[in-house]
């Protein structure tokens, strides 16, 4: 089995704060991390290799410093890493990004051999779109299996996979032919922590850089030119400020007052 | 390749853009701003510049988009009934369509689903584009996206909206790629330019810390997914419309997936449908304290919600998570217990009719958007509240 895991370097958005005076992002102290959903993708990719043999390849697209997330993937147990980096890709929206990544996966197939499974996290925490995974699937003509919470069975001989997909009100069990593309949710596994030994070993694993010229795409298919969507405006979220009634003091008194209000407003609500 | 363009003659050196840049690509050199190679052309800086000195270098394209008409909504259903977000979108589509003087279309795919058309009309659809086949019995990305792509090529809608649900996002991602058009995820606001038909799609980014307005000016259709509960369900009318039957040759498809079974959650009250939600956060301190909330929730007939902090701590499962990376909810009453109110959490519940907060920190941001609140220890307050309510509700 050859598995390609697509990952992204993101700012740790849970640490991002807004400067209340200027209403702008405060970047200071915000770390760049592996997109948390991608850690589950890496882990699953490694587990598949451990169970069925073969190799797991990590892939990212981003500025040169995105190499850091590939180092993490290698330390966790991926065998090889590809960094897609070129100024030509700056400003890519999800359509252009998916095209660029799919072109890189085709390149990997040329170099390393056919890919059986592509795994992505369900979405990245900076953009939160979840659109790149399905986009890559279309470009590579792979069946997309999104929001996978469990891989039930992989049969490399008969070339099929059975997964559970996490939906709003239940789980769907789906069988698909291989090759296929999976996007995974956090219930799927618990990502491992790389040991010091693994981190050391990782520095000797191959890290290959792909640029615009390697991918055989036209200039108008990538970056700003290849992106149908434009960011028109960025602004701070407008939270309604309510001058509510906040009760303080003796708990019993507060609760009595709140209960009165609650009973009043629940009159129209079926309890 | 290019970076954000800086007009040094206009730049007043205020540094607003330096603060706005999410990747640290802008810096001050003397009294003017400079850009380094970290710039990924995201455009965050452009809008904050008070003197319009910044721009993203784009080539203007002349494209004729006048053939594209109509605002479409993709119906999501369970075989028996459309899900609520479909009605919410029909309401929003009607507003957009009236500004463009065009029609509202509802795409309805499935097996023996034509009976749902009347309900789609009653919530605002003028036309229902119907395709029925046993192949479409269960939602699957491949056949559903292929049918819709062919419909779009034939009827040329200007806008397509679908719910930002697991199904809607899966489907829209596939359809937009096949059509090579723009798709904006998780929109929370939609406006339309009546002249150009350009959709101004507002969505949260950076974990809800900022809002971005996205345009798709040169390609059609313009596609958006919209979170459930962001828009209200429009009033039901006795409106009627036309069914447009669409035939599709499924024999040409090579469908590689098969739905083996569906395992519904054993959930008493679905978070998305609940009229009252009792939600807990980091302030609970330990997983056992969700029991106190559960008792309050049961008393009120409410669903149980949680903040990301509580879910990440492993105190409660992800299905209960409200917020940017969880569910968006719009209940009549939202009771936040031990939730301080991060931007991410508030993004998921701020549309609730009445917000009640119980928190020991009087400075907690959640109080700013709360209609009622108690400052105090939830371990004391919540059991008291349950007891008091039981007295009045007689259970």
């Amino acid at each position: 089995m050859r598995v390609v895991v697509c990952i992204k370097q993101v700012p740790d958005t849970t640490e991002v704060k807004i400067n209340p005076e200027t209403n702008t992002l405060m970047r200071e102290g915000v770390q760049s991390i592996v997109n948390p959903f991608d850690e589950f993708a890496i882990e699953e990719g490694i587990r598949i290799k451990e169970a069925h043999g073969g190799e797991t390849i990590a892939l990212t697209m981003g500025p040169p410093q995105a190499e850091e997330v590939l180092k993490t993937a290698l330390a966790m147990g991926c065998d090889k890493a590809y960094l897609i980096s070129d100024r030509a890709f700056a400003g890519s929206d999800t359509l252009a990004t998916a095209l660029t990544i799919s072109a890189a996966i085709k390149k990997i197939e040329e170099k390393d051999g056919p890919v059986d499974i592509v795994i992505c996290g369900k979405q990245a925490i900076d953009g939160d779109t979840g659109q790149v995974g399905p986009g890559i699937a279309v470009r590579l003509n792979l069946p997309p299996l999104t929001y996978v919470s469990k891989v039930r069975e992989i049969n490399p001989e008969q070339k099929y996979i059975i997964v559970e997909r996490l939906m709003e009100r239940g789980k769907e069990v789906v069988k698909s032919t291989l090759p296929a593309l999976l996007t995974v949710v956090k219930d799927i596994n618990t990502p491992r922590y790389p040991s010091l030994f693994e981190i050391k070993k990782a520095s000797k694993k191959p890290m290959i850089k792909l640029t615009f010229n390697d991918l055989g795409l036209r200039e108008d298919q990538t970056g700003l030119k290849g992106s149908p969507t434009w960011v028109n405006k960025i602004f701070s979220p407008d939270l309604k400020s309510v001058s509510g009634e906040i009760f303080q003091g003796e708990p019993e008194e507060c609760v009595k007052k709140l209960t009165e209000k609650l009973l009043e407003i629940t009159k129209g609500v079926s309890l | 390749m290019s970076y954000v363009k800086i007009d040094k003659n206009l730049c007043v050196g205020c540094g607003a853009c330096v603060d706005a840049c999410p990747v640290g690509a802008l810096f001050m050199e003397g009294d003017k701003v400079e850009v380094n190679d970290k710039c990924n052309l995201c455009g965050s800086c452009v809008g904050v510049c008070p003197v319009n000195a910044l721009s993203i270098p784009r080539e203007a394209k002349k494209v004729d988009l006048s053939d594209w008409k109509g605002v479409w909504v993709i119906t999501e259903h369970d075989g028996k009934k459309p899900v609520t977000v479909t009605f919410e979108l029909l309401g929003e589509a009607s507003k957009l369509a009236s500004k463009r003087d065009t029609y509202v279309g509802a795409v309805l795919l499935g097996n023996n689903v034509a009976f749902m058309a009347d309900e789609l009309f009653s919530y605002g659809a003028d036309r229902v584009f119907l395709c029925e086949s046993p192949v479409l019995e269960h939602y699957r990305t491949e056949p559903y996206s292929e049918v819709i792509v062919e419909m779009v090529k034939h009827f040329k809608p200007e806008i397509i909206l679908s719910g930002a649900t697991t199904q809607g996002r899966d489907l829209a991602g596939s359809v937009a790629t096949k059509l090579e058009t723009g798709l904006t995820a998780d929109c929370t606001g939609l406006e339309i330019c009546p002249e150009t038909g350009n959709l101004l799609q507002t969505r949260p980014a950076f974990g809800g810390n900022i809002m971005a307005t996205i345009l798709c000016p040169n390609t059609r259709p313009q596609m958006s997914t919209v979170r459930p509960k962001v828009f209200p369900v429009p009033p039901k009318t006795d409106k009627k419309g036309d069914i447009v039957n669409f035939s599709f040759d499924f024999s040409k498809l090579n469908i590689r997936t098969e739905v083996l079974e569906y395992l519904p959650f054993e959930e008493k009250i679905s978070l998305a449908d609940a009229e009252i939600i009792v939600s807990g956060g980091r302030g609970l301190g330990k997983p056992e304290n969700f029991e106190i909330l559960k008792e309050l929730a049961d008393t009120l007939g409410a669903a149980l919600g949680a903040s990301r902090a509580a879910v990440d701590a492993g105190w409660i499962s992800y299905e209960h998570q409200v917020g940017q990376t969880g569910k968006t909810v719009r209940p009549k009453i939202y009771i936040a217990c031990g939730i301080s109110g991060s931007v991410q959490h508030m993004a998921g519940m701020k549309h609730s009719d009445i917000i009640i907060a119980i928190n020991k920190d009087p400075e907690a941001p959640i109080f700013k958007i709360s209609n009622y609140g108690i400052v105090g220890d939830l371990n004391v307050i919540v059991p008291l509240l349950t007891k008091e309510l039981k007295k009045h509700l007689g259970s």
Side-chain angles (χ1 to χ4, degrees), chain B residues 195-371:
Chain B
E195 291 78 37
T196 59
N198 282 341
L199 195 60
L200 289 100
Q201 308 160 92
T202 298
R203 69 180 303 265
F206 282 97
N209 288 290
I210 54 171
M211 303 298 289
T213 303
I214 312 287
L215 280 180
C216 173
N218 293 329
T219 55
R220 294 289 182 268
Q222 305 168 85
M223 294 184 61
S224 323
T225 61
V226 178
R227 281 205 155 198
K229 307 280 169 183
V230 166
F231 295 118
V233 174
K236 203 171 174 174
T237 65
D238 51 10
K239 185 173 169 259
K240 293 275 175 283
D242 303 316
I243 293 182
V244 182
N245 278 296
F246 190 78
S247 61
F248 185 89
D249 175 16
F250 288 95
S251 68
K252 69 184 176 193
L253 290 186
N254 168 26
I255 304 169
R256 297 162 291 184
T257 53
E258 183 190 346
V259 178
L260 301 181
E261 63 182 312
Y262 181 73
L263 313 162
F265 293 132
E266 285 175 37
E267 202 181 354
K268 271 201 290 186
I269 303 154
S270 145
L271 206 51
D273 303 326
E275 295 212 310
I276 307 177
I277 293 173
V278 175
S279 210
R282 204 195 302 266
L284 286 177
K286 52 183 177 186
E288 294 78 36
N289 282 350
F290 262 105
E291 289 305 316
I292 314 178
L293 294 196
K294 220 175 255 171
E295 207 175 324
L296 174 61
D298 288 345
T299 308
L300 285 165
L304 203 56
S307 73
R308 179 176 159 171
V311 173
D312 281 355
W315 298 348
I316 190 162
S317 63
Y318 173 72
E319 295 103 78
H320 295 276
Q321 187 173 321
V322 172
Q324 177 69 19
T325 46
K327 291 191 174 77
T328 300
V329 295
R330 199 186 187 121
K332 295 219 161 61
I333 305 169
Y334 189 91
I335 306 179
C337 308
I339 293 176
S340 62
S342 66
V343 185
Q344 290 86 345
H345 187 75
M346 296 204 275
M349 45 65 78
K350 64 182 177 188
H351 292 297
S352 307
D353 292 352
I354 301 274
I355 296 169
I356 297 172
I358 299 167
N359 205 297
K360 61 173 187 259
D361 174 12
E363 300 299 320
I366 191 83
F367 284 122
K368 289 204 181 91
I369 64 160
S370 295
N371 304 78

Side-chain angles (χ1 to χ4, degrees), chain A residues 164-183:
Chain A
E164 291 178 10
R165 298 181 59 224
L166 181 67
M167 321 288 284
E168 279 79 6
R169 290 178 178 82
K171 285 186 177 177
E172 191 186 75
V173 185
V174 185
K175 182 177 176 180
S176 167
T177 58
L178 288 175
L181 178 138
L182 276 55
T183 78

Side-chain angles (χ1 to χ4, degrees), chain A residues 225 230, chain B residues 56-63 217-218:
Chain A
K225 284 183 185 165
W230 299 4
Chain B
I56 298 288
R58 293 184 196 272
E59 289 164 37
K61 273 191 204 168
K62 274 265 171 252
V63 266
N218 293 329

